Amino acid sequence: MTVDISEDELITAIGRVLSGTGPDVLVPVGDDAAVVRGGTGDLVLTTDALVEGTHFDRTMSTPRDIGYKAIAVSLSDIAAMAGSPRYALCALTLSGDVDAGWTMELFGGMREATDEFACALVGGNLARGSEVTVAITLTGEVARGAVVRRSGAEPGDVVVVTGTLGGAAAGRRLARRGAPWTEDELHAIHRHERPAPRVGEAPVLARNGATSMIDVSDGLTRDLVRICEASGVGVRLDPAKVPRHAAAAEGEALGGGEDYELLATMPSAAAAADAAGELADVFATLLTPIGTIAVDGLQTIDDTGATHPLEPSGWDHFA
Amino acid sequence: MTVDISEDELITAIGRVLSGTGPDVLVPVGDDAAVVRGGTGDLVLTTDALVEGTHFDRTMSTPRDIGYKAIAVSLSDIAAMAGSPRYALCALTLSGDVDAGWTMELFGGMREATDEFACALVGGNLARGSEVTVAITLTGEVARGAVVRRSGAEPGDVVVVTGTLGGAAAGRRLARRGAPWTEDELHAIHRHERPAPRVGEAPVLARNGATSMIDVSDGLTRDLVRICEASGVGVRLDPAKVPRHAAAAEGEALGGGEDYELLATMPSAAAAADAAGELADVFATLLTPIGTIAVDGLQTIDDTGATHPLEPSGWDHFA
């Protein structure tokens, strides 16, 4: 952008222009997905675009992986509202140098993801452009009133995160560096190519009382600050507790983004422990307490108990 | 595309890969929109992308008009299924040379269209790319089982079209040519910049028994052939009856595209006349019989009653 405003500031400005304020609009722009009143449950709606050069590189990724990832990132947004994915649409822009085979492989990858997570790719649109863009819209369902928003965190809540962080960023770095790779490094590359949205895990967190939730798409600290801002609270983050992928550097775990893990706040340490037990048993997924919601102040806390200002790092697509 | 298959062939191939075949998927890819079973009614879903260079030119169109048109073309798809628009999402790709003001104007134009047609723009996504792409997803509702598909035309049905055709194509040509313009020419340019989706008219056609319906987005003859192919029927088109915009050439009326009028088949001349009367009274919208559905053969018919092969003209985005 030629302007000096951030992506978040632009989204806030756009939110004022949107018409998402009727009585049937339960969550307008500004959360992981919009929520509107459906016939029986509530309908969760999200849209995302993967743009060549920005989000993928055709020389580095297969069309099958790009298609899978396009669906996975939208699945992650529906999960972060505690919704169940239902129907996907794809608006695809193709450049002149991709052929029908490439396009079919792309749709094949989307199909793999929709099959794996029990939703259906029901429609789409093709257009021409100078670069490949894969814009996915996903609808999901949630029982009426059961969405988990970003805005419900309360002082005293325990901050938790699923899985490990930094793997996707490490994978991107390692894929660019080239072979040879260790087993951990190959796993990180797989995390980057085929992120695993936490579709099954999210309802478990919701059932155990999660007060707020977001998916870690732009980096842990950046997404944590979004929860704090939406909830009007502060946080004490313990960086030493952040579960780091075996191939990731500390900076990648705190600000790397694209891990699509769930970051949530739980009402008590007991609720966090219950959810952790259930996730371990059913999904073999880690759930790690990494901090505490505070009345105000965005801070990290070190081994000695001393606090330092939390510096949000991560992606701003327009920075 | 570097391949020698058409857009329609590619869409057919993609349709085979999509997962839209479950019991709740009522209309999969291949119609104006997908239809899935909703809580009470049925949910209609469509997605479209406007790509800079292909669908608009920032030096010729204002961001407000581009935003309006992006919503309008999706509204037209929902209308062509006899659905009522409800919720819109926008996945926007921005190039480095647009500023926040341009972006806000774009959303302002979308808001104008959603306000005018009583739907809500509830969410979106921003990404960076080398060109501006506006991908819109729209959901709509229709009473259970009340959608009008492309595939229901029967021999003997009367082919009707709303409004006049060729205006958008003429407007595009005239805008490029530059001023001075006559009043008719200015109206054509307005048709090109701000198409009027037939959201109110569509349910009237459906109520009067329309057996198939499509919106004229890629050119009358091309879209008419789509109805015939989907329905497994032929047609006798009377080109002299096609209602032409005052500024349009005959070729523009038959193959110009982007008019977003409704092309439908009615079960009888009486049903067509009833619908025409209602549309004239309520919306001051023309409805013109332009041909008859036949058992087979795609033909035009001239004043003397002689038939000629119908040559589909119009847009193939990949030709």
Side-chain angles (χ1 to χ4, degrees), chain B residues 13 23 35 70 80 118 122 140 181 188 202 222 237 271 278-280 284 289 291 293 302:
Chain B
V35 183
V122 293
W181 297 296
R222 194 172 158 81
L237 171 70
E278 203 176 328
L279 291 189
I293 295 296
D302 66 22

Side-chain angles (χ1 to χ4, degrees), chain A residues 1-3 5 7 10-11 13-14 16-21 24-25 27-29 34 36-37 39-40 43 45-49 51-52 54-55 86-87 89-101 103-104 107-108 111 114-115 119-131 133 135 137-139 141 317-319, chain B residues 1-3 5 7 10-11 13-14 16-21 24-25 27-29 34 36-37 39-40 43 45-49 51-52 54-55 86-87 89-101 103-104 107-108 111 114-115 119-131 133 135 137-139 141 317-319:
Chain A
M1 301 280 283
T2 54
V3 287
I5 75 172
E7 185 184 4
L10 184 57
I11 288 170
I14 289 166
R16 285 191 215 106
V17 179
L18 299 191
S19 47
T21 49
D24 286 346
V25 180
V27 181
V29 72
V36 298
R37 186 141 284 167
T40 46
L43 184 63
L45 298 163
T46 188
T47 186
D48 263 301
V51 181
E52 184 176 2
T54 304
H55 302 97
R86 293 300 302 272
Y87 301 106
L89 298 171
C90 172
L92 183 61
T93 304
L94 296 174
S95 56
D97 61 339
V98 296
D99 62 17
T103 308
M104 296 309 297
F107 275 94
R111 175 70 190 263
T114 54
D115 282 356
C119 58
L121 185 58
V122 293
N125 181 71
L126 294 179
R128 284 192 86 153
S130 63
E131 69 199 344
T133 303
T137 298
L138 195 65
T139 73
E141 283 182 355
H317 295 290
F318 298 109
Chain B
M1 300 280 283
T2 55
V3 289
I5 75 171
E7 183 183 5
L10 184 57
I11 288 171
I14 290 166
R16 284 191 216 105
V17 180
L18 298 192
S19 48
T21 51
D24 286 345
V25 180
V27 180
V29 72
V36 298
R37 187 140 286 164
T40 48
L43 184 64
L45 298 163
T46 189
T47 185
D48 264 301
V51 181
E52 184 175 2
T54 303
H55 302 97
R86 293 299 302 273
Y87 301 106
L89 298 171
C90 172
L92 183 62
T93 305
L94 295 174
S95 56
D97 61 337
V98 295
D99 62 18
T103 308
M104 296 309 297
F107 276 95
R111 175 71 192 261
T114 54
D115 281 356
C119 59
L121 184 59
V122 293
N125 181 70
L126 294 180
R128 284 191 87 154
S130 64
E131 69 201 343
T133 303
T137 297
L138 195 65
T139 74
E141 283 183 355
H317 296 290
F318 298 108

Side-chain angles (χ1 to χ4, degrees), chain B residues 21-245:
Chain B
T21 51
D24 286 345
V25 180
L26 306 174
V27 180
V29 72
D31 217 304
D32 298 285
V35 183
V36 298
R37 187 140 286 164
T40 48
D42 289 331
L43 184 64
V44 189
L45 298 163
T46 189
T47 185
D48 264 301
L50 295 196
V51 181
E52 184 175 2
T54 303
H55 302 97
F56 63 87
D57 178 343
R58 268 192 282 145
T59 64
M60 299 287 294
S61 300
T62 67
R64 201 160 269 271
D65 284 344
I66 296 165
Y68 186 97
K69 186 169 181 174
I71 295 289
V73 304
S74 288
L75 287 168
S76 183
D77 278 332
I78 298 287
M81 305 298 285
S84 297
R86 293 299 302 273
Y87 301 106
L89 298 171
C90 172
L92 183 62
T93 305
L94 295 174
S95 56
D97 61 337
V98 295
D99 62 18
W102 191 93
T103 308
M104 296 309 297
E105 283 291 302
L106 181 83
F107 276 95
M110 291 186 215
R111 175 71 192 261
E112 277 187 59
T114 54
D115 281 356
E116 189 175 339
F117 292 95
C119 59
L121 184 59
V122 293
N125 181 70
L126 294 180
R128 284 191 87 154
S130 64
E131 69 201 343
V132 177
T133 303
V134 189
I136 297 290
T137 297
L138 195 65
T139 74
E141 283 183 355
V142 66
R144 182 148 290 173
V147 289
V148 180
R149 302 188 53 167
R150 295 180 182 177
S151 56
E154 299 273 1
D157 285 356
V158 178
V159 180
V160 295
V161 69
T162 59
T164 64
L165 296 175
R172 193 168 56 241
R173 165 175 57 80
L174 292 161
R176 282 186 188 145
R177 187 201 70 190
W181 297 296
T182 66
E183 205 162 309
D184 285 341
E185 289 175 342
L186 274 172
H187 184 264
I189 291 170
H190 188 72
R191 294 267 303 172
H192 165 59
E193 298 289 359
R194 295 228 169 188
R198 298 302 193 181
V199 173
E201 289 85 345
V204 174
L205 294 175
R207 223 169 31 238
N208 281 283
T211 53
S212 71
M213 194 153 63
I214 192 172
D215 68 326
V216 183
S217 55
D218 289 345
L220 175 70
T221 50
R222 194 172 158 81
D223 289 317
L224 181 56
V225 168
R226 285 179 174 148
I227 279 186
C228 292
E229 288 177 349
S231 301
V233 295
V235 69
R236 307 290 171 268
L237 171 70
D238 189 344
K241 290 197 182 143
V242 172
R244 195 197 302 179
H245 188 279

